[in-house]
Amino acid sequence: MTTHHSDVLIVGAGPAGLSLATSLAQAGFSATVVEQQSDSALAAPAPDGREIALTHPSRDTLQRLGSWGLLAGHEVGTICEAQVHDGPLGQHSALQLNTPQTPEAAAPGALGFIVPNHALRRTAYAVAARTPGVQIVTQAQVTRAATLAGHAELDYVPAGTPDAPPQRLTAPLLVAADSRFSATRRQLGIGAQMSDFGRTVIVCRMHHALPHGNVAHECFGYDRTLAVLPLPDDPQAGHALCSVVVTAGAADAAALMAQSPEAFAAQVQAQFNDRLGPMALVGERHAYPLVAVYAQRFAGHRCALLGDAAVGMHPVTAHGYNLGLAGVERLTAALVSARQRGQDMGSADTLAPYAQGHHRHAWPIYQGTNAIVRLYTDARPVPRLLRQLVLQGARRLPPLQAAIVGQLTGQPPQWMRALALRP
C-alpha cells in the first residue's frame, strides 16, 4: 500500500488554493500546497494594482475561514451602487444598480465589497500557515503531475535547481490551482478554451478631490473601457481614493503606460468627465494581457481544477475570485459527502457533483461576460443600437434589473436559483 503524504495535493498558493487548503483542514482533511514562491513572498506579497470585488457569499466564506478578520479596516471598501455608461460619459443616461431597500434597513445595502488582491493573498497565507493539517511547500518547481489508478503523484525540485533529483508527493486527490495558464492542467491532459481579446488591462490607484459616494462606474467607450471603483480613504493622507481600470488595445495601452503620471491622470479625468474633480496617480500602473479561459472539464479521476485554472474570467463583471471561492465551498462539500458515504475521495464519481455544479454556476457567467465585452467594445452602428436597447430594457424591466443585481451580489432571485438547479 502506498503511504500518502496527505489527503489532497494542491498546486498553487494563490488565495484560491490556500483557501481550499484551509477549508479542507477545517473539515478534517490534510492538505499539502506546493508553490514556486518563497514563504516571505507569500507572507508579504507586493501590491499588484488589482482590487478584487467580492460578493456577499464570498465574504461569508472568508469569514468562515478566518481570513476576513485579518484584513485591515482601510483594506475593505463597500460598493453601494453601480452605474453602467455607454459611450462618452453623460451622452446617455446610465443604468443604475443597487440593492432594494428593505423594511428593516434605512437604506439599500451593499452591492459588494472591494479588497486589494495582495491583501487577500496575505491573509489567505496567514490563515493557512497556522492551520493544523495544512503544509505549504515553497520554492518548489513542479516537474510532473500524474494520476494513477490508486493515487495521484506530484514531482518537484527546489526552485532554481533544475538538475536536482525530484521529490515525489502522493495523495488520493490532486488539485490544480496554479493560474489560468496552468501547467498542471496541461500535464493532467485537460485542455481549455481560451479567448484572447487582444487587449490589455491597466490597473492603478488614483486620488481625487470629490467624494465617490461608494459608487462604482463602468464606462464602455468605443476604443477604451474605463472602470472607476470606490476605495476607502487613504489611511495616511486622508485623500479620497479610487481604483482605475482601463482596457485598451495593445498599442493604445503601451502608449498609456509610457505617459507621465500627470498625463495619464489627465486622460482618465477627461474620460470620466471630471466627475471626481482633479485626479492624480497613486503608486504604479500595472498592465495585464486580457485572456479569458474555460477548462474543458473541472475534474476527472483523482484530479480537480480550482480558481483560474478552471475559469479565468474577464474582469469586467468582477466574478473571477468569487467563482474561485464558490469552488472552494463546492469541492469541500463534495469531499465531505464522499467521506460520510465511505467513498474514495479521488474517484470520478465523487468529484462529478463538484464539476457539474461548478459548470452550471460558471458557464452562464463566463459566456454572458464575454458577450457583454464584445457587444460593448464594438463601435459599429448596429451594436451601438443594441447596447442602448439592453440598457433601456434593464431600466424599464425590474425583473431584469433584479437579475443583474443578483449576479453582482451573489444573491440571485429565487427564479434564477431554480433555473440553476435544473439538470
Side-chain angles (χ1 to χ4, degrees):
M1 293 181 63
T2 302
T3 301
H4 297 308
H5 189 267
S6 60
D7 294 322
V8 182
L9 300 175
I10 302 170
V11 182
L18 290 170
S19 294
L20 176 65
T22 299
S23 181
L24 292 176
Q26 290 178 353
F29 298 100
S30 59
T32 299
V33 184
V34 181
E35 169 60 38
Q36 293 187 65
Q37 296 185 80
S38 66
D39 288 289
S40 58
L42 293 174
D48 60 9
R50 290 179 288 183
E51 310 285 340
I52 308 300
L54 297 170
T55 61
H56 290 260
S58 292
R59 181 195 58 175
D60 294 343
T61 295
L62 296 177
Q63 287 176 330
R64 178 179 69 79
L65 298 178
S67 52
W68 184 265
L70 298 182
L71 294 167
H74 67 270
E75 292 177 326
V76 180
T78 301
I79 300 174
C80 294
E81 181 182 318
Q83 295 186 11
V84 182
H85 308 267
D86 178 37
L89 209 70
Q91 180 173 317
H92 305 287
S93 57
L95 171 62
Q96 296 181 316
L97 303 169
N98 48 46
T99 56
Q101 187 171 340
T102 63
E104 298 80 16
L111 278 175
F113 312 92
I114 187 161
V115 179
N117 184 57
H118 71 273
L120 292 171
R121 297 179 68 93
R122 184 194 76 238
T123 53
Y125 174 76
V127 171
R130 71 187 188 195
T131 299
V134 175
Q135 181 177 354
I136 305 173
V137 180
T138 55
Q139 295 182 295
Q141 177 68 49
V142 174
T143 58
R144 173 178 169 269
T147 56
L148 286 72
H151 63 274
E153 293 182 349
L154 185 71
D155 293 352
Y156 73 92
V157 297
T161 59
D163 297 328
Q167 301 183 51
R168 177 165 295 173
L169 302 174
T170 67
L173 175 63
L174 171 66
V175 177
D178 53 340
S179 87
R180 66 187 63 199
F181 305 111
S182 171
T184 308
R185 180 183 64 215
R186 180 178 292 273
Q187 290 183 16
L188 293 170
I190 301 176
Q193 173 193 92
M194 294 194 179
S195 298
D196 188 338
F197 293 94
R199 299 171 76 79
T200 299
V201 175
I202 300 173
V203 291
C204 62
R205 285 187 164 204
M206 303 187 77
H207 69 67
H208 44 86
L210 302 178
H212 50 54
N214 292 324
V215 179
H217 297 265
E218 189 74 52
C219 311
F220 288 101
Y222 304 129
D223 297 315
R224 297 177 189 163
T225 298
L226 171 68
V228 178
L229 310 174
L231 300 177
D233 292 347
D234 187 304
Q236 279 81 41
H239 297 305
L241 286 178
C242 67
S243 170
V244 167
V245 185
V246 178
T247 306
D252 188 21
L256 288 170
M257 290 293 290
Q259 287 181 335
S260 68
E262 295 76 17
F264 178 82
Q267 288 253 0
V268 172
Q269 183 179 326
Q271 186 175 352
F272 202 52
N273 205 20
D274 294 316
R275 289 275 184 103
L276 296 176
M279 303 178 74
L281 189 67
V282 176
E284 300 296 323
R285 286 161 282 181
H286 303 261
Y288 300 96
L290 193 49
V291 179
V293 175
Y294 201 94
Q296 292 175 352
R297 53 191 171 95
F298 294 159
H301 180 66
R302 306 228 170 267
C303 66
L305 307 181
L306 182 77
D308 281 359
V311 185
M313 291 285 294
H314 189 296
V316 69
T317 52
H319 271 293
Y321 187 45
N322 294 302
L323 284 177
L325 288 174
V328 167
E329 296 284 13
R330 191 169 281 114
L331 183 54
T332 302
L335 297 184
V336 169
S337 177
R339 182 177 60 193
Q340 291 171 344
R341 296 194 303 268
Q343 290 183 318
D344 179 353
M345 64 184 296
S347 73
D349 289 343
T350 291
L351 299 169
Y354 162 71
Q356 294 166 2
H358 200 48
H359 172 71
R360 283 197 300 267
H361 180 194
W363 182 248
I365 298 173
Y366 179 82
Q367 292 291 8
T369 297
N370 290 354
I372 289 170
V373 170
R374 293 188 179 99
L375 175 65
Y376 278 86
T377 54
D378 193 328
R380 291 176 299 175
V382 171
R384 286 192 188 193
L385 176 61
L386 183 57
R387 282 195 294 269
Q388 280 303 302
L389 293 175
V390 169
L391 290 179
Q392 290 173 17
R395 280 194 293 267
R396 295 173 181 174
L397 296 174
L400 177 56
Q401 190 165 341
I404 297 171
V405 170
Q407 287 298 324
L408 291 174
T409 61
Q411 300 171 318
Q414 184 63 41
W415 63 269
M416 289 188 67
R417 289 196 291 268
L419 286 176
L421 292 174
R422 292 177 61 182

